[in-house]
Amino acid sequence: QSPQEGWAEQEPAMWWQCVRKAIQRANATGLFDPLDVAAIGIAYQMHGLVLTDPAGKSLRPSIIWCDSRAVGIGKRAYDKLWE
């Protein structure tokens, strides 16, 4: 989602829906015994922010790595370091 220019967000619930769908598809192949799977690693998201309530439910769409709304703040901080 890009509700404003330079913003990039995704719903964490969508990630879980996609994981569940991928597991169902993998199990449906019959190529392995699902009981042999001890863990699943997901290497997709980096530099993201997920705000949650005490129960772990997301409070808003996740701000993801390609969001650029803080670029100006970062540049000003960097420039201050080199003054």
Side-chain angles (χ1 to χ4, degrees), residues 46-66:
M46 63 176 212
H47 310 302
L49 173 66
V50 179
L51 299 173
T52 63
D53 67 13
K57 183 176 183 264
S58 64
L59 297 172
R60 65 171 321 283
S62 173
I63 298 171
I64 61 173
W65 67 272
C66 55

Side-chain angles (χ1 to χ4, degrees), residues 23 26-27 31-41:
I23 291 169
N27 286 346
L31 298 175
F32 64 94
D33 182 347
L35 297 176
D36 290 337
V37 178
I40 298 173

Side-chain angles (χ1 to χ4, degrees), residues 10-80:
Q10 290 181 332
E11 288 288 348
M14 181 190 64
W15 303 336
W16 180 238
Q17 290 169 2
C18 291
V19 167
R20 291 179 62 196
K21 185 183 252 184
I23 291 169
Q24 290 170 347
R25 284 184 180 176
N27 286 346
T29 67
L31 298 175
F32 64 94
D33 182 347
L35 297 176
D36 290 337
V37 178
I40 298 173
I42 300 172
Y44 159 73
Q45 177 65 338
M46 63 176 212
H47 310 302
L49 173 66
V50 179
L51 299 173
T52 63
D53 67 13
K57 183 176 183 264
S58 64
L59 297 172
R60 65 171 321 283
S62 173
I63 298 171
I64 61 173
W65 67 272
C66 55
D67 187 281
S68 61
R69 68 185 91 179
V71 169
I73 295 168
K75 180 169 179 0
R76 285 191 301 278
Y78 178 84
D79 291 345
K80 269 258 193 242

